[in-house]
Amino acid sequence: MSCLAAYTWSRNSADYKNEVEYVIGVSQANVREAWRIALNQEIEEEVKKYPNINIITTDATSEPEKQKQDIDKLLEFGIDLLIISPCDTGKLTEKIKDVFQGNIPVIVMDRGIEGFDYSLFIGPDNDMIGRQAGEWVVQLLDGQGGRVLKLCGNSGSIQSQERIKGFDSVVMDYPQIETSTFNMDTELKDKAYDAVLSMKGSLKEIHVIFANCDYVAQGAYEALESMGMEKGIQIVGSDGLNGKDGGVDMVMQGKIAATITCPTGGREAIQYAYSILRQESGVPKQVILRSRTITKGNAAQYLESLEKECFDKGETITVGYSQVGQESQWRLANTHSIQEAAREFNVDLLFDDADQSQDKQIAAIRRFIEEKVDVIVVSPVVETGWDEALMEAKAAGIPVVMSDRKAETDEKDLITTYIGADFLEEGRRAMRWIRDNIPSGGKVLNILELKGNQGASPTLERRKGFVEVLQECPGYQIAYSEYGDFTYDGGKRIVEGYLERGGWDVDIIFAHNDDMALGAVEALEDYGIVPGEDVKIISVDGTSDVFRAIIAGKINCTVECNPLLGPPLMKAIRDMVAGKEMPVRIITEEKVYDQSQAEEVINQRAY
Ligand code: AHR
């Protein structure tokens, strides 16, 4: 094969740069796996809708070195944007960073890379795919219990491990369900066939097979069929590709009971690429795609929905927004961003400030329903207690989006999407910074934790992420922890209270937000303790006030939590009203700042 044969142009290659406005390079990990072929096809289909875009596709044949060369070739061709589905994220991180820093936007697909040196990540939530499979298996067994065989295609891949982890997390709550695992090193159908055939004797005990990819499910089905056992054992697969013998087709043929879709994101990649190339506002940092559980009952409807074309008619959209309150600088910046973006995106905003009261938020949701808004957005003060109000919104046919903070519901499908930060990761980053910058020197350092408000998702998740890393660091311990409600006064009060009890033994303060950290600084100074030196302070948010405190040496580090959610939120709302499938999560970009960069970047801070 000649070298050029490995590159595919979507249109006439001779004049590709003259005919079109934008050339997008698509660097694919391989074109052997069905899922990747589907991703390429989806990209090609979507690109047909944009006469001013051309694509060039390369196949890295699963070789990281080849993928790096492919990228160089694409750059030589003069691409305007790179879409990459990396074959090895570790080995390609640096290359992707170089391209991004060379001012070519990069969309990373499917497998996340370390850091934030790319424009956008689009991928599935494999843990959730596993959980959805687990929920369906529980339903198949009808609460009776039974035996489940987990057939793992490629047990070494992170994707497989996450799917199995998610599956186990659901099934473990049902002690009457017994599971066993068979690990294969490959996702080849024939290997799955042989594996299931070799288990003939023990299969009589099995009620359901969970295959963590549809190829494996197909092999399992054919083996059962060859032994006349296909009626007695149900199969749940995952990937849900459409096309002949894809997961959805197998469900429709009755070969497998269900498949959980793992969307390729090809369509979204082109749509976002177009927005990036046109420098539109509202492009987030990460888009986590929604997986669907496909059964015989909804397979045809699902296929129809894939065909649907979506148009934004540009009409004014009415949005009811329930804001949690005005507790912090972050919140003020967040409110400002939402109100500004509403104007930019032609959204008529009914804004309600709940002053930290869940009751007021529920009353606002009900008012929005009465006023027949198109979309309701809530930044929920606490995570739980929303089911009733959200069910009323669902009954009224009004989609609900969670912005900034998350809500947990017992009922399914009450929340259309979540847009905001990754609080768990923020907590991890805070503790990683402590581990890497404040050596414990053989002692155990005491941490004072200033928590946000009780029951709020940033409080719960920042703590969880922080503790997760802390557990691996024997030189640190949380000596004291209290809720400061994300306010300046809350942070000040906790530190004063601790000081008044006598015997200051704190080495580090971890504040769940900047306002509490600044309150703590004031309290410490009043007592003659030097913040930033005698006690190190790490907070979350990245507001300008804290940047100034970092430069003054009073705070040591802030983990960014981006409040500028207005543009991505309004973009998502317009897309949703136009009929586009909503991702499960839309995540914003966030960095960590300390004394080494604060001075350099303070003037670029937007809040
Ligand atoms: O929900 C986001 C958190 O709420 C911010 O970190 C904090 O400052 C705010 O009040």
Side-chain angles (χ1 to χ4, degrees), residues 324 327-331 379 404-405 423 426 458 462 485-486 512-515 540-541 561:
V324 62
E327 73 285 0
S328 61
Q329 291 300 316
W330 187 99
R331 186 67 53 199
S379 175
D404 156 40
R405 295 186 180 182
F423 298 135
E426 289 167 357
R462 283 175 189 161
D485 299 333
F486 290 120
H512 284 202
N513 85 339
D514 284 354
D515 296 68
V540 183
D541 276 355
C561 174

Side-chain angles (χ1 to χ4, degrees), residues 297-440:
N298 65 6
Q301 197 191 352
Y302 170 72
L303 289 179
E304 257 171 51
S305 74
L306 298 179
E307 299 300 318
K308 203 174 79 191
E309 287 301 336
C310 309
F311 294 107
D312 183 347
K313 298 192 199 103
E315 288 165 359
T316 307
I317 299 170
T318 308
V319 172
Y321 193 105
S322 169
Q323 179 61 294
V324 62
Q326 304 180 33
E327 73 285 0
S328 61
Q329 291 300 316
W330 187 99
R331 186 67 53 199
L332 300 180
N334 177 247
T335 295
H336 182 70
S337 166
I338 283 151
Q339 290 171 336
E340 284 268 287
R343 282 188 281 276
E344 185 193 341
F345 284 79
N346 193 17
V347 164
D348 189 5
L349 192 68
L350 310 184
F351 188 86
D352 187 88
D353 177 348
D355 195 19
Q356 310 297 319
S357 152
Q358 182 172 34
D359 288 347
K360 283 189 187 164
Q361 290 203 286
I362 289 174
I365 294 172
R366 296 201 163 121
R367 221 169 33 247
F368 297 148
I369 296 172
E370 265 173 38
E371 295 187 27
K372 297 189 172 47
V373 298
D374 298 306
V375 180
I376 294 174
V377 185
V378 186
S379 175
V381 60
V382 289
E383 245 183 22
T384 53
W386 303 97
D387 278 67
E388 207 181 310
L390 298 191
M391 270 153 69
E392 291 168 27
K394 187 178 174 181
I398 303 176
V400 178
V401 173
M402 291 294 151
S403 170
D404 156 40
R405 295 186 180 182
K406 293 186 191 126
E408 289 291 330
T409 57
D410 295 332
E411 278 295 313
K412 287 205 155 299
D413 299 330
L414 297 180
I415 300 166
T416 312
T417 190
Y418 164 74
I419 179 152
D422 185 343
F423 298 135
L424 203 65
E425 187 56 23
E426 289 167 357
R428 291 189 194 117
R429 285 193 186 142
M431 186 54 217
R432 280 190 211 120
W433 189 90
I434 292 173
R435 176 197 65 196
D436 298 341
N437 293 278
I438 311 174
S440 64

